[in-house]
Amino acid sequence: MNVPIKPQSQTMIFRYGDEQITFERVKRPQATGKVLIKVHPDCRVIVSAPEGAESEAVLSAVKKRGRWIYEQLRDFRKQLEFTTPRQYISGESHYYLGKQYLLKVIEAPEQVQGVKLLRGKLDVSVKTKSAEKVKELLTDWYKARAKETFAKRLDAMLEQALWVEERPVLRILTMQTQWGSCSPNGRITLNPHLVKAPRECIDYVILHELCHIAEHNHSERFYRLMSQVMPKWEKTKERLDGMAFVIAN
């Protein structure tokens, strides 16, 4: 099983005034009667509802928050107008362990090319300025940091996962749709982009995959186990979902 970057969903639609708003209905893992609505910075509207809730009831709950959803979308759309694709030039903002760092590209023909994290900045030294080279160096740096960080966090999380008898094999692999996955034989694969997220989000994904070693499906037992080792995991998951747009690339 895996932790998707975007949750599995059912697409639904409602109207607010003259606008047709699409939202994704996802299963709310813990069975409560509440419907949770989240508008993400990339303008995705995610509605978490109990699996047994009727579609009409979910639509009704969403329509009651129609004005709030509309206003959130309007504000995020304004922000997106000023968002440009990464150009890998000085002044850009890049994430690492949940914090933003300014990118500083240094042209230094005599220096060894590489990345250093110094005083709130990501300094990238290149022989000649090239967006492709800066991207390549940053990608390699993130992968190296991911390998080191994930290994440490896996060791820390294994202290809570008492059902795991042997340390799982850990693999780092860039994935388009998943933060992490667990194979049937217990090998854990993590997305290097996850190292851009806060430590608690990294811990959540690792614990999620460790729980799959005990329970391969998203059963009630799986969620009970998850809640035992990380009681507020749903809030952490929401935080990670909200960051997906800015860190998953």
Side-chain angles (χ1 to χ4, degrees), residues 4 7 24-25 36 43 61 69 75 80 83 91 111 124 126 131 137 142 146 153-154 172 176 179 190 214 231-232 236:
E24 297 172 54
R25 174 183 173 171
L36 298 180
C43 294
I69 294 169
D75 292 344
L80 286 173
T83 303
Q111 287 187 23
V124 181
V126 290
L137 290 169
Y142 275 122
R153 297 318 303 160
L154 175 60
I172 310 298
Q176 296 299 315
W179 291 122
L190 297 176
K232 296 182 180 179
T236 305

Side-chain angles (χ1 to χ4, degrees), residues 167-196:
R167 189 182 193 276
V169 173
L170 178 62
R171 181 176 65 155
I172 310 298
L173 179 69
T174 302
M175 298 175 281
Q176 296 299 315
T177 60
Q178 297 167 219
W179 291 122
S181 67
C182 180
S183 70
N185 64 3
R187 182 181 66 186
I188 291 176
T189 302
L190 297 176
N191 192 327
H193 289 306
L194 182 62
V195 81
K196 301 174 188 177

